[in-house]
Amino acid sequence: RAAALNRPEAPWVVVGLVGAMVNGALFPVLATLLVEMLAAYFLCAKVAVDNKAILYPPVAWVNNTGILQTFYDSPGGCSADCVWTKPGAWRGGGTQCDTASTFCVDFFPDGGAVKLYEKQALCYDGMTLTIRNYCLGFVGLAVAALLANLSQLYSFGRMGEHLTRRLRERTFEAILRQDIGFFDMETNSVGALTTKLAKDASYVEGAVGTTLGLMVQNGTLMIISLVIAFIRGWMLTLICLATFPITIVAQYFQFQFISGVGGQSSKAYERAGAVASESVAAVRTVVSFGAEEKVETRFHEALSTDSKAVKKVAFGAGLGQVSLSLSLSPC
């Protein structure tokens, strides 16, 4: 029914969902860029050359002294005009590669590759260019985050506000259509009804609007994170996934605990609102009988339940976070 009430804002749903998906994709991409940029600072490593391991390439400046080298996880990561390959020959370059200022070895270390540089400037220039490209990537992510957050928050906020207005209008119309006996019930006092009118509609708005965006955002975040994690290191990802059921159980009990206490808090606000509304409406009577302290005591007693509920929420949230941290500790 809430979705039907939001039907006039259907185009904004699409905009909000796109923004939420982009928001969810930003954090895994940001983490990947950050790791790659930090790794780029170590692209140029000055170590001794193992001529025996690389099968003695016929390049005059290659010797056992320390020269700058860049190591890669796979042969495809190293790109150069000259590639020294097994069983000890140039691939595609011929003898002109004997005077090359940089070249790749596509079989060292095992399963990887290494790029050697005659001059330090060649390696450092490449490292600087790589880091600059990653910095531009961060700028692009910042622009994407701005647009995505604007789309998500504005779209779902607009939907939520319109939904809240319609719910309050219909609730108020329904209240006005009730019989007189309805208002004689203690649970339907003026204060309780006004509190419900103010708070209950906002609860529905939070569930349909903001929560929907967060669900899409977190779902996208999880899917993209898992894809990147399996590509980068599937063994560590499987170890982390082994603790995932514990995380789900901990979060479930935390949510149930907070939800149950939240219902108690809502009832406490209704009782306190009823006391305040009735006292203000009949303030002349309260003052005439000197009942100010009694009314104040009733108001504090109504809110004391909420104070206890808040402490329970804090305890449940803390316990859930501890369980979450313990479940993630093996990772």
Side-chain angles (χ1 to χ4, degrees), residues 222 237 239-256 316-317 319-331:
M222 181 177 295
T237 305
I239 294 175
C240 293
L241 286 178
T243 65
F244 198 62
I246 302 176
T247 304
I248 294 177
V249 172
Q251 292 297 304
Y252 172 77
F253 282 111
Q254 181 184 10
F255 177 77
Q256 292 295 324
L319 187 62
Q321 289 301 318
V322 170
S323 303
L324 179 61
S325 300
L326 291 177
S327 64
L328 294 177
S329 58
C331 300

Side-chain angles (χ1 to χ4, degrees), residues 7-268:
R7 189 170 300 168
E9 285 75 41
W12 292 106
V13 177
V14 178
V15 177
L17 291 178
V18 172
M21 288 188 287
V22 174
N23 261 331
L26 284 175
F27 289 102
V29 176
L30 174 62
T32 303
L33 280 181
L34 184 59
V35 171
E36 293 294 339
M37 191 186 74
L38 292 176
Y41 283 101
F42 302 93
L43 285 177
C44 299
K46 191 173 185 179
V47 295
V49 179
D50 189 352
N51 276 297
K52 183 178 180 181
I54 62 176
L55 302 179
Y56 302 97
V59 181
W61 51 268
V62 176
N63 49 54
N64 289 327
T65 60
I67 62 173
L68 290 180
Q69 305 174 51
T70 301
F71 294 91
Y72 299 91
D73 294 333
S74 62
C78 186
S79 60
D81 295 333
C82 298
V83 179
W84 183 249
T85 186
K86 286 184 177 181
W90 295 112
R91 185 177 66 207
T95 56
Q96 62 185 6
C97 289
D98 295 349
T99 59
S101 59
T102 178
F103 66 93
C104 289
V105 179
D106 67 354
F107 55 84
F108 178 82
D110 291 338
V114 62
K115 191 173 185 178
L116 293 85
Y117 303 87
E118 180 184 7
K119 300 178 180 179
Q120 294 184 359
L122 294 173
C123 186
Y124 288 132
D125 288 345
M127 182 180 69
T128 303
L129 179 61
T130 301
I131 295 174
R132 184 184 298 123
N133 290 336
Y134 286 131
C135 291
L136 293 176
F138 285 124
V139 174
L141 285 179
V143 175
L146 173 64
L147 297 176
N149 278 283
L150 180 63
S151 301
Q152 179 180 352
L153 297 178
Y154 178 78
S155 299
F156 287 113
R158 181 187 177 94
M159 291 168 50
E161 290 301 322
H162 282 281
L163 177 61
T164 302
R165 188 192 68 186
R166 295 187 184 104
L167 287 174
R168 284 175 177 162
E169 289 175 351
R170 294 196 177 192
T171 303
F172 188 64
E173 291 175 359
I175 291 174
L176 294 179
R177 289 196 300 266
Q178 301 301 317
D179 296 331
I180 299 299
F182 174 82
F183 300 98
D184 292 334
M185 299 175 64
E186 183 179 354
T187 56
N188 296 329
S189 62
V190 176
L193 291 176
T194 53
T195 302
K196 288 182 179 180
L197 191 63
K199 296 179 67 69
D200 290 0
S202 61
Y203 289 153
V204 177
E205 179 270 330
V208 176
T210 308
T211 304
L212 177 61
L214 289 176
M215 289 176 60
V216 175
Q217 178 180 339
N218 292 333
T220 306
L221 171 65
M222 181 177 295
I223 293 173
I224 296 180
S225 298
L226 286 175
V227 171
I228 295 176
F230 274 109
I231 293 175
R232 309 276 304 188
W234 62 271
M235 295 182 67
L236 180 60
T237 305
L238 290 178
I239 294 175
C240 293
L241 286 178
T243 65
F244 198 62
I246 302 176
T247 304
I248 294 177
V249 172
Q251 292 297 304
Y252 172 77
F253 282 111
Q254 181 184 10
F255 177 77
Q256 292 295 324
F257 184 83
I258 295 176
S259 298
V261 175
Q264 300 176 11
S265 177
S266 178
K267 293 179 180 178

